[in-house]
Structures are given as structure tokens and as C-alpha cells.
Amino acid sequence: MKRAGDRIAALTCYDFPLARIMDGCGVDIILVGDSVGVVMAGHDTTLPVTMDDMVYHTRAVVRARPAALVVADMPFLSYQVDPRDACLNAGRLVKEAGAEAVKLEGGVAMAETIRSVVTMGVPVMGHIGLTPQSYHRMGGYRVQGKLEDQAERLVADAHAVQDAGAFALVLEGIPQKLARRITSELTIPTIGIGAGPSCDGQVLVIHDILGLCEKYSPKFVKRYAELTPVISGAVTSYVTEVKDGTFPTEGHAFN
Ligand code: KIV
């Protein structure tokens, strides 16, 4: 798609019904992100997400048999300690959960790990820039690569990920000029989130584009729907009708 100049549309998804809906809309990549911990489980960061959480949610998405490529995130501590853990856990996401590829965060420091997982036969998507699993090192969710030396380090990270065999690279929370440079230097596609319009593709969190996540609304998110009032309207009507006796009617019952 990069060579043909076709832009790649990726979205996160964590469950069966949304995977079914999304797949009919032409999404190219469904990412079962570890953002599940924040948007579905209510944690403040992605750090508490476990391998079992990722297997459970990836299975639910895979059950929808999407035509889109299903990429499962490797959660914190499932790959950072040594490449052997990374291989075993990436293998679990493929074998037990049905993922077609995995994503992990980090550049130069993760190159050996990426190479091991790719060598084992599991495609890897890289992820650099604002890497949420490094929340404490970054001092919070902050745009990365604003200073020249940081930007040069991110360029080196991008090349290391590509050279290690990754098939694509997520660029999160970096200046658009830097994303443009990395995108033009790499042969693998870049998928941006808060990285401007020059990336080869874009990814957003599904709850953010549907207006279902009240917690954070970062500048880079575009809300394509406001579902919170729709859901709350439906639930309020249900509660009212149960309480005033207008639901159920005889038509909702068996004879
Ligand atoms: O976990 C996630 O959802 C992600 C994307 C937003 C890139 O890593």
C-alpha cells in the first residue's frame, strides 16, 4: 500500500460486535491495543494490562473473522525482559488468540527482540515516539522528539525497527515534521497517531472517535460521533419505562 500510495486506515478494537461493524467499513488494520486497559477497564495507564487480557480481547475480535489484518499489542512486561519471553508471548497471541501480527513499543533497545519474534515467523509492528508503556520514564503522556537530539534518536529508532524486520511502524505523539522525515526515509509504512498527515496510515482508538471516552480528549483525536448521549438517552428511557410500567408490554411477552 505504501508503494502504491494507498493510505492505511487502522483502528483499535477490543470486542466481537465492534469488530463485525468495523470490518464492513473497509478498515485495513484492526489493532487490539493495550489501550483496552484504559478505555475498557478504567485504568489510568496501559501498565496493568496482562497477557491474559490481551488473549481474551484478541480472541473476541478474531471471532468476528475480520478481513482486516488483526494486530495484537504485547502488554507491559511481556517482552521487555528478554527476547525469549517476547517469543513465547508473541506465540501465545498468535496460537491461542488468533492474531496475525503483534505490536511492541521501543526502538534501538528492542531491535534484537523484534528480530527474534520476526525470525520465529510472527510479523511485528513497531511503535516509537510517545510510547504509553514508558509513562513513568516520559513523566506522563508528552510529545516526544521536539528537541533536535531526541528527534535524531527517534530517527535512529525508526531505522533500527525497520532493519530488525518489522513490517510497519506506529509513530505516536511526535512533531509532524519529524514524522514526515521518518516516513520518507523508511520503506515500511508508518502509521501515525498524533503525528500529522504525512504518515502512510493513521490509527485512532475506537472509543475516542465514537465519543465514548470522556477521560482524555487529546488534540489529535477527531470525534466522528457522539455516542455517550445516545447511549445515556436509551438507558434513561429504559429505566423510566420499567419504573412507570410502560415496558414490557404484552407484545414483549410469551403466550
Ligand atoms: O494501545 C493502543 O491502542 C495503541 C495505539 C493507539 C497505537 O498502541
Side-chain angles (χ1 to χ4, degrees), residues 205-223:
V205 168
I206 184 69
H207 289 61
D208 287 339
I209 74 163
L210 297 180
L212 280 173
C213 204
E214 303 297 303
K215 241 178 174 175
Y216 312 102
S217 198
K219 181 182 177 194
F220 58 80
V221 168
K222 180 168 177 185
R223 290 188 182 216

Side-chain angles (χ1 to χ4, degrees), residues 12 14 31 33-35 46 73 103 105 127 170 172 193 203-205:
T12 70
Y14 321 98
L31 171 67
D34 61 351
S35 49
T46 57
D73 240 342
K103 175 168 83 58
E105 298 178 6
H127 183 166
V170 170
E172 177 165 358
I193 171 162
V203 62
L204 282 176
V205 168

